[in-house]
Each structure stands twice: as structure tokens, then as C-alpha cells.
Amino acid sequence: MASTSNEKPPPRKRFVVSSFICKRTDTHGELLVSIFKRSDQVRSYKFVPNPGLTPARSEPRSGATDTSLPPCREKWAACSGSIDATDTNPLAAAWRELEEETTLTSTDLTLLRPGKSYSIVDEELNTEWTIYPFAFLLRPGPKTKTITIDWEHTEHRFIRPEELQSYDTVPHLSASLCRVVVTADLAAGLKALQTDHQNGARVLATRALETLRDAGVNERARAVSSTQEYWREMRMVGWHIAKNGRPSMGAAISYVVLDALDKIRAETMEESDVTTFKQKASGVIQRIAQDRTLTPDRMASQFQQYIETSADPSTCKILTLSSSSTVRHCLIELLTRSPDRRLELFVLESRPLFEGVTMAESILNTLNSRSSGAASRIKVTVAPDSAAALLAKEASIILLGADRISSEGDVSNKMGSLPTVVVAKMVSPQVKVAILSEAEKIAPPQDRGSVEREEEDNDVEEVTRGWPFSQDRKQALLENDVKVRNVYFEKIPAKLIDAYICEDGVLSVGEIERRSQQIADLEGKIWGDM
């Protein structure tokens, strides 16, 4: 049917960020959030003329307004603004707005957490607003600047989150704040995931499942009165665990959380009693946790098949690094299940925490504790990370774990993985690079609207404690503006990888892409209407 002039056009799309600057009290560490009173010079929301996340500005940014929008002067707000064409993603826009409106930068602030984005349609203005909320935490210490407001605001103050309801705010400010403030129990669960530097993605994914289970019985969950409210609460908790638990290992964490929520949804669709709903949800999570205990042996079987078809029939020569629980288990099972198999294992020590040394010791201790005689069929060589080229000449397989596999087949793994692979391909062109990883570490495709997290730069003390200096000499060096980096993960391009071994067999890049899209579709089903 032909359209008529009376038909309403599709709504204009507007994309904005809303950032809360937070600090903790000196006494109990209570979280306070800063709100800003908008000046009378700000007549409305900032104007974005074109739809999409890449608007082309037709007016100067400073002071640009859309006079058709309702006035917001003298109302309380967060640091907010439109996503510009030059912003690579919403987080980049948030950082830019913070600097423009407060002069604070990443030197003064750290990202505490993003919140789930949401959209609101203004029928009167025929506009759809998509809001990306963020919480940033003031860094402690004397070098952190204080907030300096610009012309857009007349004052700012720190308040407790529950006090916001007593202020005259811009529309939907409380909705944004609710999406970045979490319960004390959930905050503790997220921190436990973020600060666990001993375990890999698989173990953290299991702990994420436990955090989701515990959230089902916390104070906020106990207070809900309907299954709809409880389901929404569980989904929001799941979103925070998936996105804010440990972003560098987020693929595995997201997968187990989504899988649990999808199975809870299927089992409770017709349930109207809150108590029964909670019991069923807890039962689903418990069954998933139990099923996960079977995955390591499935991985070991697939790895054994790969070795039997790809390595020397008697002696296998493998170079690895870091400490992957999956790699460790599969190597132990390879020797235990194959009584004639011999293994030469070359391990890079994996600074700064020497996880490679820890894994080598664990493998030998486990084999020595068994009566299969497998310990006599393994020869282990440990060397510094700088000896990768030397060891690669001896190896036939570079075996690595994975913390994340992108839809294109790129792999995120421990720092040192990329130079090891590159140098191995140079000095030994026939070497095979194999990724040994559960399929749950396949991530959904990235899109421009997603929040690209900063690199996980960790405690520099982990690096400096190995320096042959006194503490005074170390401090003197650091005070001379010497920057120490301690990034844990890096990307290995798919073009350098020969095989992806998972519990279902060896995957092609095409199969990885298909599974990646399935995860994206599941995210839409579980979180799309939030």
C-alpha cells in the first residue's frame, strides 16, 4: 500500500552517554555519586542531527541545542552528552565529555563499570533516545585533580545513590544510576572475579555461575514480589557479571551466564509463584555447574585425537606458556591414556607471575602421584620467555590456551603468546600452532555500540619485585616518570593459527563465526528488551 502524507515518519535516533563520577567514603568505603546542576545557559539536550552512532555534525558542538526539546536548565544531571562522529564507541564519548565538563581524565579516574544501555521513545517529539550509562571512580592519592565544572553547570555535589529521589533531575537520571549501582553482594562477587589473577577463564566462568546463583538469594532478590520482577533482576545481575566481572575473560563468563539464563527462562516460562521460580532457577544453575565438570575429559579426548593424527607416533614435542587448566589437564590425560606415548614439553616461565613454572610443577606432581608410569615418559624443559626462538626450534606444536576467541578466529591469550607464535613460524616454518579451548570462549561479534574496555593493566609491583634493586632504588626510578606496564593479554591473529581444538572437535573459522553469531542472537533474546 502506498504511503500517505499523514503517516508518521520513523522516530529520529539520538545516542547519548550519562556518566557518574563516584568516590568512596573514608570510613566505611561507601559509594557516593556526583551530580551536577545544569546552568541556565543550557536550554536543552545537546543536538545530534543524524541517526546512527556516527552522526555528522552540522553545527558547532559548543552550545549547540535543539530548541524543540524540553528545557533542562537548573536541573540535576550526570556528565552527559551526545556521541560524536569522532567517538570510536560510547566509552570514548564518556571520557571526552568528562574531560570537557570536569577537566578530569584517565589520570584522575578509572572506569568502575558500564551499565546496560537502554532506549526511550518520546512520542511527542518522535525521537528515540539510547542512553549509555557509566560509573567512574576517582583515583585515590594527592595527584588526583578535583572536579572543575564548565559553563554547563553551576555546582556539583556528592550524594548517596538513594538520595537522588529528593532532587529535581533531568529525565531518566535515576534509571541510568540504577544501571551502574549494584548491591554490596554483587559488587563483592564482581571484585572477586576482577582480582583473581591465579585462575583462567574456565575457572572464573564457573565462579561467575556461582555469583549468579548467590544473587538469586540476596537481599534485593528476596524483596521481589513477582516472577516478572525476579526474572528482570536476575537478567540485570547476569548482565553485570557477564560484562563487568572480568572483561578480558568475558567470553567464557558471558556464555555460562547466558546459557543459565536461557535455560531458566525455558523452565520457568509458565511459573507464577516466586518461591517456585527461585527454586527452579537455582536447580538449573546447579545442573549446569555439574555438567561443566564433564567438559575437561571431553577436551582431553579431542586433544588426544588431534595428537594421534598430527604428531610423531612415539614422541610428541610441545611448546607452551602460562598456566591453562585446560592445557594442563589435556597434557596429563594424553600421557595417562596413551601408555606408549612420550612427551617432550617445553615451557616458557611466563613472567611476571611465572605461571608456566607453576604449571610445569603441577603436571609433574600429578603424574608422579599416579601409578601409571606416565611420569617416566615426560621430559620437561623450562626457560625464560626470551628463549622462545630457542625452544621453538625443538617443538612440532605450539600449544596455547585461550581467554577469548573472536568471531574472526583471533585469539586473546597471555602476554608473550604472540611473539612466541611469530618467532616459531620464522625459525621453524613447519611448526603447528594449536589453540586448545572450550567453545564457550567464542565471543559474539563486536559492534560499534558495544563498550570496548581498556587494557587490563595490572599491579606494577608484580613486575618490579623481580628487579635486582632495593625498594628505595625502585621507587627512585619510578619517581623519574618511568612507566611500568603489566598488561596480561594480547591477540594472536587467526592467520597464524593452524587448529582450534574444542570439546566438539577441531573447529574451522567458519564454524567459529557461526557460533559467535549464535551467542549474539542469545544476548538479544535475554537482554534485548532491557
Side-chain angles (χ1 to χ4, degrees), residues 254-264 284 288 522:
S254 290
Y255 179 87
V256 297
V257 169
L258 282 166
D259 184 45
L261 291 174
D262 189 40
K263 289 175 179 174
I264 290 171
V284 167
I288 293 174
L522 185 55

Side-chain angles (χ1 to χ4, degrees), residues 10 39 366 503:
S39 72
T366 301
E503 65 270 29

Side-chain angles (χ1 to χ4, degrees), residues 129 132 154 191 286 449 472:
W129 299 90
Y132 293 86
T154 59
K191 185 175 182 180
Q286 186 174 348
D472 289 343

Side-chain angles (χ1 to χ4, degrees), residues 89-130:
N89 53 47
L91 180 57
W95 279 116
R96 175 180 50 74
E97 288 288 345
L98 284 167
E99 184 172 10
E100 290 175 1
E101 297 184 16
T102 70
T103 73
L104 300 180
T105 68
S106 58
T107 302
D108 314 293
L109 298 167
T110 182
L111 176 63
L112 178 60
R113 69 180 66 95
K116 174 73 175 66
S117 63
Y118 63 104
S119 297
I120 296 170
V121 177
D122 188 323
E123 297 290 350
E124 183 178 348
L125 298 176
N126 195 33
T127 301
E128 180 183 290
W129 299 90
T130 298

Side-chain angles (χ1 to χ4, degrees), residues 88-96 98 104-114 134-137 139 243-244 246-250 404 412 446 450-458 483 485-490:
T88 54
N89 53 47
L91 180 57
W95 279 116
R96 175 180 50 74
L98 284 167
L104 300 180
T105 68
S106 58
T107 302
D108 314 293
L109 298 167
T110 182
L111 176 63
L112 178 60
R113 69 180 66 95
F134 294 92
F136 293 85
L137 191 63
R139 294 183 185 273
K243 304 301 180 181
N244 294 321
R246 188 70 175 277
S248 58
M249 300 182 183
R404 180 182 184 275
S412 174
Q446 287 286 118
S450 62
V451 176
E452 188 68 25
R453 298 293 288 261
E454 301 151 321
E455 289 179 328
E456 188 178 300
D457 215 339
N458 298 280
K483 185 174 184 178
R485 300 296 307 276
N486 186 20
V487 178
Y488 277 0
F489 304 101
E490 64 183 351

Side-chain angles (χ1 to χ4, degrees), residues 215-491:
V217 295
N218 67 17
E219 183 177 353
R220 184 184 291 181
R222 289 196 299 269
V224 301
S225 58
S226 70
T227 56
Q228 292 85 357
E229 187 181 356
Y230 184 77
W231 174 233
R232 179 174 178 80
E233 175 69 16
M234 281 210 75
R235 287 189 295 158
M236 187 60 77
V237 167
W239 187 91
H240 275 292
I241 295 171
K243 304 301 180 181
N244 294 321
R246 188 70 175 277
S248 58
M249 300 182 183
I253 293 173
S254 290
Y255 179 87
V256 297
V257 169
L258 282 166
D259 184 45
L261 291 174
D262 189 40
K263 289 175 179 174
I264 290 171
R265 181 195 62 81
E267 190 158 322
T268 60
M269 286 180 63
E270 307 299 326
E271 188 56 62
S272 59
D273 179 72
V274 176
T275 301
T276 305
F277 189 109
K278 293 178 180 180
Q279 291 172 347
K280 288 184 175 181
S282 179
V284 167
I285 293 174
Q286 186 174 348
R287 288 197 301 272
I288 293 174
Q290 183 62 37
D291 290 343
R292 286 177 58 77
T293 62
L294 305 177
T295 305
D297 282 341
R298 293 176 59 198
M299 289 291 304
S301 296
Q302 296 296 341
F303 178 62
Q304 184 176 11
Q305 290 184 30
Y306 174 79
I307 292 298
E308 288 174 352
T309 58
S310 305
D312 185 283
S314 58
T315 301
C316 183
K317 298 181 179 182
I318 293 176
L319 169 61
T320 190
L321 55 80
S322 191
S323 180
S324 161
S325 61
T326 302
V327 170
R328 173 190 175 278
H329 179 77
C330 288
L331 290 174
I332 291 170
E333 289 300 307
L334 177 67
L335 288 172
T336 303
R337 298 181 184 188
S338 306
D340 297 327
R341 171 69 62 185
R342 303 188 71 84
L343 173 63
E344 286 191 40
L345 182 63
F346 305 95
V347 184
L348 297 175
E349 60 182 8
S350 310
R351 287 209 66 205
L353 298 181
F354 303 99
E355 306 101 306
V357 182
T358 302
M359 184 173 72
E361 178 190 40
S362 177
I363 290 172
L364 290 172
N365 286 343
T366 301
L367 291 175
N368 282 322
S369 69
R370 298 183 178 182
S371 58
S372 61
S376 64
R377 291 182 277 110
I378 184 173
K379 178 182 178 182
V380 178
T381 301
V382 177
D385 299 352
S386 56
L390 177 68
L391 299 189
K393 293 178 182 178
E394 303 292 328
S396 57
I397 297 174
I398 309 297
L399 184 65
L400 301 173
D403 291 292
R404 180 182 184 275
I405 303 175
S406 76
S407 58
E408 297 84 13
D410 299 331
V411 169
S412 174
N413 197 48
K414 174 66 189 291
M415 187 66 66
S417 299
L418 179 59
T420 298
V421 169
V422 170
V423 75
K425 291 284 187 178
M426 290 183 64
V427 302
S428 185
Q430 76 281 1
V431 74
K432 300 295 183 184
V433 176
I435 303 299
L436 188 59
S437 168
E438 297 85 352
E440 66 186 24
K441 295 174 185 176
I442 298 173
Q446 287 286 118
D447 61 71
R448 193 173 182 271
S450 62
V451 176
E452 188 68 25
R453 298 293 288 261
E454 301 151 321
E455 289 179 328
E456 188 178 300
D457 215 339
N458 298 280
D459 185 3
V460 299
E461 169 63 20
E462 294 176 352
V463 176
T464 61
R465 71 166 62 110
W467 293 357
F469 296 161
S470 66
Q471 189 59 39
D472 289 343
R473 286 180 65 188
K474 292 177 188 177
Q475 191 61 36
L477 186 61
L478 296 176
E479 288 176 356
N480 282 326
D481 290 329
V482 173
K483 185 174 184 178
V484 179
R485 300 296 307 276
N486 186 20
V487 178
Y488 277 0
F489 304 101
E490 64 183 351
K491 182 177 72 175

